[in-house]
Amino acid sequence: MTYKPYILRTYEKMLGWPFGRQLFSIYASRKAPYFRTIRPLVQKLEPGHCEVFLKKRKSVQNHIGTVHVIAVANGLEMAMGFLAEATIPKHLRWIPKGMELSYPAKGDTDLVCEAISDPADWKVGDVDIAVVARRKDGVAVVEGVIKLWISEKPK
């Protein structure tokens, strides 16, 4: 039997329930309470890929009426974290080391925050996770890399 991380098993189980994505997103946000501030919706979760929907609401907007970049970074960090939990081999653990982001366009609609990696890259050392947040029209509003440190779990 192939190892399947707890977060993937839980996500797949909840997808079979009415409002499963919403329930999973609420459940997951309770595990990391800061994520609740953006009211995320996990749209897709699989090894090497996670998408989190971020609705443009007053509480995540800045003074010019666009989605504040810190709210976007929160969504990107959530997507990265879920990707990491769904991807990392059983004998390894991860911790973020840093984040480099650029803001090529305004976030003036709802956004999808996406994290992508190649599961084959998950070895001891640094792993770069590509992240991007896109508007409804597909234009990237924030893009960059979140660097993780991967190490062996203690025996």
Side-chain angles (χ1 to χ4, degrees):
M1 178 178 217
T2 305
Y3 167 72
K4 187 176 281 196
Y6 172 77
I7 197 164
L8 267 181
R9 291 191 318 266
T10 304
Y11 178 73
E12 291 171 358
K13 177 181 178 181
M14 289 180 138
L15 283 181
W17 299 354
F19 305 104
R21 279 189 175 82
Q22 292 87 340
L23 291 170
F24 176 81
S25 299
I26 291 166
Y27 164 77
S29 293
R30 292 183 67 118
K31 292 287 191 182
Y34 185 68
F35 293 140
R36 280 187 281 183
T37 63
I38 59 170
R39 293 190 198 155
L41 176 66
V42 179
Q43 295 186 142
K44 184 175 189 175
L45 179 60
E46 59 190 33
H49 192 201
C50 182
E51 292 180 7
V52 174
F53 176 79
L54 175 58
K55 184 161 183 61
K56 182 184 177 226
R57 303 180 332 279
K58 185 75 171 158
S59 63
V60 295
Q61 290 179 32
N62 57 25
H63 65 289
I64 60 172
T66 60
V67 180
H68 196 288
V69 72
I70 297 304
V72 179
N74 191 2
L76 292 170
E77 186 176 16
M78 182 178 188
M80 174 281 302
F82 281 38
L83 172 145
E85 288 297 314
T87 308
I88 195 160
K90 187 177 184 177
H91 68 288
L92 299 176
R93 61 186 178 174
W94 64 274
I95 190 164
K97 276 181 75 172
M99 178 185 292
E100 294 179 24
L101 301 175
S102 61
Y103 323 140
K106 291 181 182 178
D108 53 7
T109 69
D110 297 342
L111 303 173
V112 174
C113 299
E114 183 177 24
I116 302 164
S117 78
D118 182 347
D121 292 341
W122 288 75
K123 299 175 180 103
V124 171
D126 289 341
V127 171
D128 290 341
I129 308 299
V131 293
V132 61
R134 297 184 195 285
R135 298 188 308 218
K136 284 182 176 180
D137 63 4
V139 171
V141 300
V142 176
E143 54 192 4
V145 171
I146 300 177
K147 185 177 290 294
L148 304 181
W149 173 249
I150 310 299
S151 61
E152 296 275 345
K153 285 183 181 176
K155 302 240 185 249

